[in-house]
Amino acid sequence: MTESLRRTAIVTGAARGIGAETARRLAEDGFAVAVLDLDEAATKPTVDTIVSAGGRALGVGADVSDADQVQAAVRRITDELGAPTVLVNNAGITRDNLLFKMPDSDWDAVIAVHLRGAFLMTKAVQKHMVDVNWGRVVNLSSTSALGNRGQANYAAAKAGMQGLTKTLAIELGKFGVTVNCVAPGFVQTEMTMATAERIGQDWDDFVAARVAQIPVGRGGLPGDIAHAVSFFVSEGAGFVSGQVLYVAGGPKA
Ligand code: NAD
């Protein structure tokens, strides 16, 4: 991609895990990438990896559930990197518990980061896409959207991401913007390591138990998810919109 055609992408929650690998992959695909996460300092390893490979990246600190911070972040990205026309809503948290033990605040926190975050970010960025009649939005859902014990908040948020995706695909299609969802199964990241720790299970045992249920016989890696995001973002995927792609090593959650 030449400099004049170079587009700017934002990946939220890109300090680590799936977001970091997606940011790296989109930079390799030729995008200038805004690496957005809660704490700007924490984005440095991702930014450094991209820059040392010859790419362009900007670390930005913002809470995606805070409207003012989202506005400020998108303004800064537009000024310093270029108007964003690709958005990957990846930032996420888990606060797992059975319904009767789930504090109201844990329900609110999970819905706020995933759903309010994706809503605010997409609303702030869409005008740049509409301006140039081209854009790509990719939202991170999960196999948990199909139901997962102990994750009422997270499952509701991830199912909500799918409804948001389909609706925005309908609203934004005529402006050259596609909106799709990647729904990962088990991926080995700090998020799933924290789950193993919380339930007091050794990481290797935790992985083995999950892998036993996965037809391809291995756990997912951040690169598996980044690859799917890269497809949805690619020029050739312009006729694919409103879709949910389960990337889970098999047909079932
Ligand atoms: P992770 O916990 O390793 O990384 C998530 C990142 O999001 C962190 O860097 C965190 O600081 C950031 N973040 C959290 N709240 C934020 C906020 N309010 N504003 C900005 N950034 C915020 O998680 P991961 O495993 O890489 O997951 C990435 C996405 O993929 C999440 O949406 C997650 O729900 C989804 N997902 C993960 C798995 C899995 O097995 N790991 C499976 C399905 C879906």
Side-chain angles (χ1 to χ4, degrees), residues 12-20 36-39 62-65 89-94 113-114 140-144 154 158 161 182-192 222 225:
T12 70
R16 67 184 204 191
I18 292 168
L36 188 150
D37 212 293
L38 280 172
D39 170 19
D63 177 346
V64 295
S65 68
N89 286 308
N90 167 82
I93 58 170
T94 53
V113 176
H114 296 268
L140 267 288
S141 179
S142 167
T143 49
S144 293
Y154 186 80
K158 290 310 201 185
M161 293 297 263
V182 176
F186 171 63
V187 182
Q188 295 165 218
T189 68
E190 287 177 63
M191 179 180 273
T192 42
I225 310 307

Side-chain angles (χ1 to χ4, degrees), residues 9-12 18-27 29 31 33 86-90 134 136-141 178-184 221-235 237 240 245-247:
I10 302 177
V11 183
T12 70
I18 292 168
E21 186 54 24
T22 299
R24 201 201 55 72
R25 173 61 190 264
L26 293 184
D29 291 348
F31 295 92
V33 182
V86 172
L87 170 65
V88 183
N89 286 308
N90 167 82
W134 190 92
R136 300 280 188 263
V137 180
V138 182
N139 295 320
L140 267 288
S141 179
T178 67
V179 187
N180 290 286
C181 242
V182 176
L221 297 170
D224 294 317
I225 310 307
H227 193 72
V229 174
S230 171
F231 163 72
F232 279 135
V233 167
S234 67
E235 200 57 49
V240 181
L245 179 62
Y246 283 90
V247 182

Side-chain angles (χ1 to χ4, degrees), residues 32-143:
V33 182
V35 178
L36 188 150
D37 212 293
L38 280 172
D39 170 19
E40 182 176 332
T43 66
K44 193 169 182 310
T46 310
V47 170
D48 288 350
T49 302
I50 291 171
V51 171
S52 62
R56 256 181 94 208
L58 174 71
V60 180
D63 177 346
V64 295
S65 68
D66 182 302
D68 291 341
Q69 291 187 36
V70 164
Q71 289 293 338
V74 172
R75 256 197 316 271
R76 184 176 160 214
I77 292 161
T78 307
D79 291 347
E80 294 184 31
L81 212 54
T85 53
V86 172
L87 170 65
V88 183
N89 286 308
N90 167 82
I93 58 170
T94 53
R95 296 284 185 273
D96 298 352
N97 232 323
L98 293 174
L99 177 65
F100 77 103
K101 288 195 283 191
M102 185 179 287
D104 297 359
S105 57
D106 281 358
W107 172 271
D108 291 343
V110 168
I111 300 295
V113 176
H114 296 268
L115 273 182
R116 182 177 160 81
F119 161 71
L120 290 174
M121 284 298 306
T122 313
K123 197 168 140 188
V125 168
Q126 58 82 29
K127 105 178 223 327
H128 297 295
M129 301 180 180
V130 171
D131 279 351
V132 295
N133 212 37
W134 190 92
R136 300 280 188 263
V137 180
V138 182
N139 295 320
L140 267 288
S141 179
S142 167
T143 49

